[in-house]
């Protein structure tokens, strides 16, 4: 999905963007801890070229915070439920601080038990999912994440939106290279990309969405205006989307994608659901080291003609951003700076 | 995929088919333990209408056993690796006896830790995957299984078969009803269904396979004759297929789908790889009971127009088979009876 054309761009360093976003969050109702985590997450997406989850999301974050739908000062409550099971009540706050609060305990459990699970509930996830799994792979672990979102995907054979875009993310370490990481919506297209397409005036490919009457459409605006997305890959994607509802919501105690009502909170954009992570320590495995095996697989994928491995596009954009700075439209940057200059709210 | 037309069918009881298949396995090189497990598995698939994994597979099992490629008398070695991690060396035998040998330990670990993993290596999986997960859901557990197979799927953007059909299976308990269970190949079509189509003379849908020159084809025979399958859902299915290689092979210590050479074993059909299972105890979760949440989801899927839930078709066929017996073509049944009447091999 090509990003929108802007008249002129400026390049800024990652740290500068992160600081700017931290100030914005701080001035719009989050605690310092939450501001730092959301800013790092959002700046990382922008740095890696994940346009639909970078600064494009800031207006949505701020309107949600202003609406009172999410608690930007929530302090996650971590529960050590069982030797391999950590649960977090995110307190109607964001999922990323909840993950951060449980992260060291989760890693400790995974290394001790061979596998461990993190169940986050009562949480809002408005970001890309790959940032939740990539760090585990950088510690030599294998990670899987599932998050449900908001009813916008029609199950196969059905006529009404029910599932969220319900992404699945996976990360596995390599020997001496960036991890293999994918983050795939179980919908035919990510909701953020429909918004990007609508803003850019692009049409969607065939089979991606339906309008408010359940009729196929290629118009992103019609999809956003009471329409819905379709699952990827037919009934298989639909089955995976169902699995994500069961893992991320039913198992964690979070809401289903159709299970919350934000009608009393105009401006609310962040789905109030749950997230499940599974982390595995591959050093418990038999035979050759896991990272060596990963290298063998990558070598064979290359030889079979798959030149770009999952995650590569982000790593290439990341390297470029690290060298030259992160490209941001000048108008957009001015808007961000304006938001960051708002008066600080009274300490609460 | 409609199954092949046969001149006349007979209905036999599940127990009778199971006994017949047990006798066949016993007379073609397996131990009594392995014979019983494979027979129950194969009879279950036939009973449930899973034609591509029922008695259709018997010739493949027998030619493989005759070729010396698989050890039909292997005794699986279970290792208690870590509090949440069980490993099994299947000893170049079948995966199902390995799972059976580790099953009670795996359940005990899942209930104690909240989550546990079973890593099977040095194993052959020639059956459907749903029978591996459904029983866990019947004990109130959530289960995921991944198995890689043999190089027959071209990765997205590539030109050479590399991945197996690499299915993912999932099972979740319901309150007072059969579990939600799916078993989906990450290829656009299961290999067994290509064989069925070739035997029946049917053409494949567009986008399912390529011929030996990497060109798209709808001829199942061209796919089987040096051609290859495509992943389902484009790059997303390809990413999931890669994940299955990493989980079922790299992590367990089993072979990759491209990592074994059976050229010295004419008649060998069973991929020599690995399998990974993840079992979760949902009673550790917060809020309402998991099975109650499952019911709510099913109710909403029905209301959204999805009349048939994952697994329903098998359960309907199962109920019918339980009432009226399992339909088998008379010729096929005669052939099976012939195989079961072969002399018993000397005890070894």
């Amino acid at each position: 999905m090509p990003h929108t054309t802007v008249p002129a761009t400026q390049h800024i360093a990652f740290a500068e963007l992160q600081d700017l976003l931290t100030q914005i969050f701080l001035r719009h109702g989050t605690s310092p801890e939450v501001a730092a985590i959301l800013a790092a997450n959002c700046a990382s997406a922008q740095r890696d070229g994940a346009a639909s989850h970078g600064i494009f999301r800031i207006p949505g974050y701020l309107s949600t915070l202003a609406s009172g739908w999410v608690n930007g000062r929530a302090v996650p409550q971590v529960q050590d439920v069982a030797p391999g099971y950590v649960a977090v009540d995110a307190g109607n706050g964001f999922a990323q601080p909840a993950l951060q609060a449980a992260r060291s305990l989760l890693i400790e459990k995974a290394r001790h038990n061979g596998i461990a699970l993190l169940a986050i509930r009562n949480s809002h996830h408005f970001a890309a999912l790959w940032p939740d799994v990539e760090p585990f792979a950088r510690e030599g672990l294998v990670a899987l994440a599932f998050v449900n979102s908001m009813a916008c995907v029609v199950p196969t054979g059905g006529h009404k939106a029910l599932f969220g875009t319900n992404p699945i993310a996976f990360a596995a370490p390599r020997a001496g290279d960036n991890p293999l990481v994918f983050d795939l919506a179980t919908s035919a297209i990510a909701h953020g990309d429909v918004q990007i397409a609508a803003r850019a005036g692009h049409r969607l490919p065939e089979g991606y969405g339906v309008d408010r009457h359940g009729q196929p459409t290629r118009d992103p605006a019609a999809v956003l205006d009471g329409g819905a997305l379709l699952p990827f890959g037919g009934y298989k994607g639909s089955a995976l989307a169902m699995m994500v509802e069961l893992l991320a919501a039913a198992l964690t105690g979070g809401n289903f994608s159709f299970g919350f009502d934000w009608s009393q909170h105009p401006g609310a954009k962040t789905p109030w659901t749950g997230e499940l992570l599974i982390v595995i320590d591959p050093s418990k495995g038999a035979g050759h080291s896991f990272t060596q095996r990963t290298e063998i697989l990558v070598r064979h994928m290359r030889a079979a003609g798959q030149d770009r491995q999952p995650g590569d596009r982000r790593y290439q954009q990341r390297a470029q951003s690290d060298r030259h700075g992160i490209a941001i439209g000048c108008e957009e940057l001015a808007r961000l700076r304006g938001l960051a200059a708002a008066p600080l709210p009274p300490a609460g």
Side-chain angles (χ1 to χ4, degrees), chain A residues 40-129:
Chain A
N41 178 291
C42 185
S44 301
Q46 190 69 28
R47 173 198 63 195
D48 289 9
S52 62
H53 290 96
I55 56 175
F56 173 77
R57 293 266 160 174
I58 292 296
Y61 274 115
L62 302 193
S63 70
T64 303
L65 283 160
S67 77
W69 171 243
V70 69
N71 181 1
R73 302 181 197 279
V75 178
Q77 302 300 314
V78 178
Q79 298 167 276
D80 188 341
V81 176
Y85 199 119
V86 191
V88 190
D89 182 340
N92 193 32
F94 292 100
Q96 290 77 16
L99 169 53
Q100 183 57 34
R103 192 179 137 73
S104 61
L105 181 58
L106 178 62
I107 290 178
E108 186 190 312
K109 284 177 180 290
R111 290 207 198 282
H112 181 71
N113 290 288
I115 186 168
L117 177 155
L118 173 61
I120 301 173
R121 67 183 185 276
N122 197 6
S123 54
H124 297 250
H125 203 293
F126 197 55
L129 197 54

Side-chain angles (χ1 to χ4, degrees), chain A residues 62-222:
Chain A
L62 302 193
S63 70
T64 303
L65 283 160
S67 77
W69 171 243
V70 69
N71 181 1
R73 302 181 197 279
V75 178
Q77 302 300 314
V78 178
Q79 298 167 276
D80 188 341
V81 176
Y85 199 119
V86 191
V88 190
D89 182 340
N92 193 32
F94 292 100
Q96 290 77 16
L99 169 53
Q100 183 57 34
R103 192 179 137 73
S104 61
L105 181 58
L106 178 62
I107 290 178
E108 186 190 312
K109 284 177 180 290
R111 290 207 198 282
H112 181 71
N113 290 288
I115 186 168
L117 177 155
L118 173 61
I120 301 173
R121 67 183 185 276
N122 197 6
S123 54
H124 297 250
H125 203 293
F126 197 55
L129 197 54
W130 56 262
D132 295 6
V133 293
E134 185 188 322
F136 292 102
R138 296 201 177 271
E139 307 228 17
L141 301 165
V142 172
L144 264 163
F146 310 89
V147 65
N148 65 318
S149 54
M150 58 187 178
C152 62
V153 174
V154 179
T156 291
H159 49 69
K160 198 177 132 187
L162 180 74
F163 301 137
T165 53
N166 293 10
I168 299 173
F170 174 79
R174 290 180 57 182
D177 210 326
N178 285 311
L180 290 174
V181 177
F182 67 73
D183 169 2
L184 57 87
T186 52
S187 52
I189 183 171
H191 210 261
D193 285 328
V194 181
Q195 293 168 44
I196 298 256
R199 229 174 53 163
H202 294 134
R203 282 164 72 71
L204 301 174
E206 208 76 65
Y208 279 34
V210 295
D211 65 18
R212 58 165 60 244
H213 310 293
Q215 295 303 310
T217 182
R218 294 187 55 200
D219 176 7

